[in-house]
Amino acid sequence: REKSWPVPEYMQAFQKKAGMGTKEFLTVFNGGIGLVLIVGPQEKAKTLQTVAALREKAWEIGVVVS
């Protein structure tokens, strides 16, 4: 989901310098997302707690729909 994570400033500057629209930027560069973990709804809270315990930041950025 767009705007569910903070896009790093250097990626914003890159997007502006490249003259890319938001859709193209997110498609080509994933908006600066470095790593994605896909977990079931029942594991979401535990996963976020584990990541926080490692002094890292995490955001829910979407859902898998079949």
Side-chain angles (χ1 to χ4, degrees):
R1 290 178 277 207
E2 188 178 333
K3 298 184 181 184
S4 60
W5 72 97
V7 176
E9 287 185 31
Y10 70 91
M11 291 299 291
Q12 293 175 34
F14 178 79
Q15 177 187 5
K16 184 176 180 180
K17 180 83 171 172
M20 299 176 82
T22 300
K23 183 174 178 157
E24 181 181 17
F25 173 70
L26 293 174
T27 300
V28 175
F29 295 104
N30 295 331
I33 298 171
L35 176 69
V36 175
L37 299 174
I38 300 172
V39 299
Q42 68 281 6
E43 295 296 321
K44 176 182 154 185
K46 182 178 179 181
T47 301
L48 291 172
Q49 289 173 352
T50 301
V51 171
L54 295 170
R55 297 184 181 166
E56 295 291 342
K57 297 177 184 174
W59 298 267
E60 179 180 346
I61 61 171
V63 295
V64 176
V65 178
S66 60

